[in-house]
Amino acid sequence: MEQRRLGRTGHQSSVLIYGAAALAEVDQGTADASVQLALDAGINHFDVAASYGDAELRLGPWMPTIRDRIFLATKTGLRDRDAAWAQINRSLERLQTDHLDLIQIHAVGDLEELDLVTGPGGSLGAVVRAREEGLAGAVGITGHGHQAPATHREALGRFPFDTVLSPLNYVLGRDPAYLADYQALVAEVQAQDAALMIIKTVSRRNWPEGPVEHGYSTWYEPFDDQERISAAVAWVLSHPEVTGIATPGDVRLLPLVIEAERRLAETSPAAAEQVLAGAGDYSSPFLRIPF
C-alpha cells in the first residue's frame, strides 16, 4: 500500500488510515478479522477515539503483538483539561499501551468549540501535558461540519498542531465557499509542515429522514458499490497535500476501500470525477449532523 509522510512527525503512514469507529459495536471476533484484513493490506496507521464505544477495548488485545509496527492515534472529545487528562489515561489503559503516537482533540468544527479547547483550562492543556510526559508523540485536531476547514486553519494560528483531520470529498469540493476554506487550510498546513488527513471520503449523503432502516453503522449514508468508492478514494488521494484518508465506520466497507486503493493506478482524477458527477442523491453529510 502507498505510504505518505505524515507531516513533520516523519512517519510514513499508509494512505488508508484504519477508522476504528467501525469497531464501536462489534464483537471481538469481528474486530479481529477486520484488524487482520487491514494489516494484511498494509495499513499501518490506526485511528480510534475514547468516544467510539468499545473500539479501544477491541484494539487493546492487539497491542502486545503489533504496537511497535503501527502508528496509533486516539482522540479526546472532552473540553475540560482535567477531564481530558483522565480520559487520555483511561484510553492508554483500554488500549493496553504506555504511549500513543498521536492524541487528537476531537470534533472541533467551529470557533466556539475551538475557544473551549484552547482557552484557559481547556483540553489542549491535557494533550500538551501528555506529550511533555512522553505519553504521546504528537498533538492533533479533528472536526466535522462545513466550518471545519476554516476552524482548523484558525486552530493552526493559535497552536502548532502536528496533524489536522478534516472533511473532504468530491461534493464538498464542488462548493466554492467550502473549497476556498479548504485551500486556505492546505496553505497553512503546508507552511507549518503539519499533516492533513481526510474524513468523509466515501460519504454519499445524510440518511433519508423518516422510518428508514440504516444499512450501515455510519451516521451518514455511505457509497457501498466498488465503482463509486474507487472513484471517491481516487479523487481525494489525487490531492498531493493529503497524507491519508480514514476508512469509514463500518467493517463491511473496509474491503471495498482497500480494493479502491489497489485500483488507484487505474483511476485517473478525470475518470473519478466523471463517475462521481453522475452519482445520484449525492450531497454534503453536514446538512444534518445527528450529534
Side-chain angles (χ1 to χ4, degrees):
M1 181 173 292
E2 180 187 353
Q3 296 180 353
R4 297 183 183 179
R5 176 175 169 272
L6 195 69
R8 61 178 178 268
T9 72
H11 185 260
Q12 292 295 323
S13 286
S14 52
V15 292
L16 298 186
I17 299 165
Y18 187 89
L23 305 182
E25 298 178 1
V26 301
D27 60 31
Q28 191 64 49
T30 301
D32 290 346
S34 184
V35 170
Q36 189 64 60
L37 175 64
L39 294 168
D40 291 345
I43 293 175
N44 69 0
H45 184 150
F46 285 71
D47 182 90
V48 68
S51 60
Y52 292 167
D54 289 338
E56 290 181 331
L57 295 173
R58 296 290 171 258
L59 282 179
W62 283 85
M63 291 308 113
T65 55
I66 70 170
R67 182 67 190 93
D68 61 347
R69 58 189 176 101
I70 67 164
F71 186 94
L72 181 62
T74 196
K75 312 181 189 80
T76 177
L78 301 180
R79 300 310 187 222
D80 175 77
R81 180 178 55 200
D82 293 341
W85 176 250
Q87 187 176 66
I88 289 166
N89 282 276
R90 182 168 178 261
S91 288
L92 288 164
E93 294 175 2
R94 284 157 57 97
L95 286 164
Q96 299 183 36
T97 185
D98 61 0
H99 73 285
L100 297 150
D101 297 297
L102 171 65
I103 300 178
Q104 300 155 105
I105 301 177
H106 193 33
V108 183
D110 57 44
L111 292 179
E112 182 179 356
E113 292 293 322
L114 182 61
D115 288 342
L116 289 174
V117 303
T118 60
S123 54
L124 177 59
V127 180
V128 171
R129 177 184 174 186
R131 183 171 64 180
E132 290 172 345
E133 296 191 10
L135 303 182
V139 174
I141 191 166
T142 84
H144 299 88
H146 294 130
Q147 299 177 56
T151 302
H152 294 161
R153 182 188 179 211
E154 171 65 20
L156 288 169
R158 299 186 186 186
F159 180 83
F161 289 96
D162 299 298
T163 69
V164 175
L165 184 64
S166 211
L168 182 68
N169 59 32
Y170 174 74
V171 74
L172 289 171
R174 297 286 291 175
D175 179 333
Y178 191 93
L179 181 60
D181 286 342
Y182 173 78
Q183 290 172 334
L185 171 62
V186 170
E188 188 60 33
V189 162
Q190 292 177 332
Q192 296 194 24
D193 195 22
L196 178 59
M197 302 172 286
I198 297 298
I199 53 175
K200 303 301 173 280
T201 297
V202 303
S203 167
R204 176 186 178 188
R205 60 178 179 175
N206 286 120
W207 288 109
E209 294 187 274
V212 178
E213 183 177 352
H214 295 178
Y216 296 95
S217 57
T218 48
W219 61 263
Y220 55 89
E221 182 179 352
F223 288 127
D224 62 358
D225 64 281
Q226 191 64 64
E227 181 184 35
R228 287 183 290 183
I229 285 182
S230 292
V233 169
W235 187 84
V236 170
L237 288 180
S238 71
H239 292 70
E241 72 275 4
V242 172
T243 62
I245 61 175
T247 59
D250 192 301
V251 294
R252 292 168 293 175
L253 296 169
L254 181 63
L256 286 84
V257 179
I258 289 173
E259 180 61 24
E261 193 277 336
R262 289 176 179 152
R263 296 184 183 187
L264 282 177
E266 307 167 16
T267 312
S268 68
E273 287 192 8
Q274 185 174 14
V275 169
L276 296 169
D281 297 321
Y282 190 17
S283 59
S284 167
F286 305 131
L287 300 179
R288 299 189 313 277
I289 302 179
F291 51 82

